[in-house]
């Protein structure tokens, strides 16, 4: 049998191409990031309607800290505004918001807005929206290895009993299940240090469309493509 009749339970998206979207219009990169907020709203609604349970969005990578201070400040100011303006809607629509990444590095105002949104929406169960912020898989895995080594050294963990589930529970992305469908916009076909552990058996979908242009029809096309795939998980 081929194809997946069910929608993907966990969709992860590398929202790429904001800068090029702006540059092609002769605008500063910040305008591309601003325009990138609308597809977040649209795709969240579409995913919710389809019955997706986990939506994980790559908003800022560990490596993105190397960008100019102006761009980084602008991105976090936008994100803080998004959190302040959208939390009520998330709460009302049954969406639980989570930040995943090295959140201690975030500017204080963003951290506070995120903590508030997480707290307010904590009991929601329809869909978990995870924002990957200051996120990088290698940093995440290294941190988990450090935590586990410290526990073993303190005698709180027997290395012989360490399982995949133990490791997963020590990741920033703690309770997230494996990704079913990964979408990357912006034309590049790479992972850029995103969810290396959870992508083990994900179906990958790359599109040239730049993130600010990515709409509901594009999302549905990705899901339809996913539903036509035959996932074997190593079996025949
Ligand atoms: C993605 O768009 C958003 C972030 C990485 C924060 P980019 O800013 O990477 O846009 P391009 O790839 O330069 O077009
Ligand atoms: C990946 O995009 C990170 C986010 C979308 C947040 P990048 O633009 O940082 O990735 P590279 O540098 O092209 O690999
Ligand atoms: Mg990019």
């Amino acid at each position: 049998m081929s194809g997946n009749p069910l929608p993907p339970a966990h969709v992860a998206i590398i929202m790429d191409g904001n800068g090029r979207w702006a540059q092609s219009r002769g605008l500063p990169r910040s305008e591309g990031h601003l325009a990138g907020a609308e597809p977040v709203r649209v795709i969240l609604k579409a995913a919710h309607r389809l019955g997706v349970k986990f939506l994980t969005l790559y908003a800022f990578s560990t490596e993105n800290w190397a960008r100019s201070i102006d761009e980084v400040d602008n991105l976090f100011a936008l994100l803080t505004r998004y959190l302040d303006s959208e939390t009520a809607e998330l709460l009302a629509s049954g969406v639980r918001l989570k930040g995943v990444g090295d959140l201690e590095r975030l500017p204080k105002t963003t951290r506070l807005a995120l903590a508030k949104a997480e707290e307010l929406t904590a009991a929601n169960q329809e869909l978990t929206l995870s924002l990957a912020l200051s996120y990088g898989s290698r940093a995440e895995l290294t941190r988990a290895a450090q935590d586990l080594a410290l526990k073993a050294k303190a005698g709180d963990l027997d290395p012989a009993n360490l399982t995949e589930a133990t490791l997963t529970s020590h990741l920033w992305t703690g309770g997230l299940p494996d990704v079913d469908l990964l979408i990357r916009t912006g034309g590049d076909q790479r992972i850029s240090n995103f969810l290396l552990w959870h992508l083990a058996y994900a179906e990958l979908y790359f599109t040239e469309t730049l993130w600010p242009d990515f709409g509901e029809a594009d999302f549905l096309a990705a899901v339809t493509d996913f539903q036509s795939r035959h996932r074997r998980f190593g079996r025949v």
Side-chain angles (χ1 to χ4, degrees):
M1 208 189 84
S2 72
N4 308 291
L6 295 175
H10 185 180
V11 178
I13 307 183
I14 301 175
M15 309 182 291
D16 199 21
N18 294 351
R20 281 163 283 164
W21 183 91
Q23 277 157 354
S24 71
R25 286 166 174 73
L27 297 168
R29 295 176 60 83
S30 58
E31 290 295 322
H33 297 314
L34 183 63
E38 184 56 17
V40 171
R41 290 186 196 99
V42 171
I43 300 317
L44 173 62
K45 277 210 186 98
H48 196 173
R49 212 175 314 122
L50 279 180
V52 169
K53 301 305 283 180
F54 296 88
L55 179 65
T56 304
L57 303 178
Y58 207 5
F60 192 86
S61 74
T62 313
E63 291 69 29
N64 289 149
W65 285 113
R67 296 192 181 190
S68 74
I69 293 176
D70 279 356
E71 181 165 354
V72 170
D73 283 353
N74 170 258
L75 272 164
F76 284 112
L78 276 173
L79 180 74
T80 310
R81 250 195 287 154
Y82 171 85
L83 290 168
D84 287 340
S85 66
E86 297 297 311
T87 299
E89 171 70 21
L90 298 176
L91 181 61
S93 57
V95 174
R96 176 178 193 182
L97 185 101
K98 295 278 287 172
V100 293
D102 191 359
L103 304 179
E104 281 167 25
R105 282 185 82 177
L106 304 187
K108 195 171 170 201
T109 47
T110 307
R111 241 186 307 141
L112 291 176
L114 185 63
K116 192 172 149 200
E118 285 182 337
E119 198 185 310
L120 281 168
T121 63
N124 280 352
Q125 293 190 346
E126 284 192 34
L127 183 154
T128 299
L129 170 64
S130 300
L131 294 181
L133 294 166
S134 190
Y135 177 85
S137 269
R138 289 185 168 187
E140 179 186 41
L141 287 161
T142 305
R143 191 72 63 92
Q146 251 167 14
D147 288 351
L148 291 165
L150 286 169
K151 280 189 182 164
K153 196 174 166 198
D156 296 332
L157 172 81
D158 178 356
N161 293 333
L162 198 156
T163 61
E164 291 187 3
T166 323
L167 179 59
T168 310
S169 70
H170 283 76
L171 299 175
W172 288 320
T173 37
L176 281 183
D178 283 352
V179 173
D180 297 299
L181 170 63
L182 173 82
I183 300 172
R184 182 177 184 135
T185 63
D188 287 311
Q189 303 195 358
R190 57 177 170 256
I191 302 297
S192 302
N193 203 13
F194 190 40
L195 301 177
L196 297 180
W197 177 267
H198 307 76
L199 290 176
Y201 271 101
E203 297 298 324
L204 310 180
Y205 183 90
F206 299 101
T207 170
E208 294 289 325
T209 306
L210 304 172
W211 177 250
D213 290 328
F214 192 76
E216 182 169 354
D218 301 294
F219 182 69
L220 295 178
V223 170
T224 302
D225 189 90
F226 167 85
Q227 289 180 313
S228 74
R229 310 259 184 113
H230 181 199
R231 304 180 82 187
R232 284 184 286 278
F233 299 99
R235 296 185 285 268
V236 289

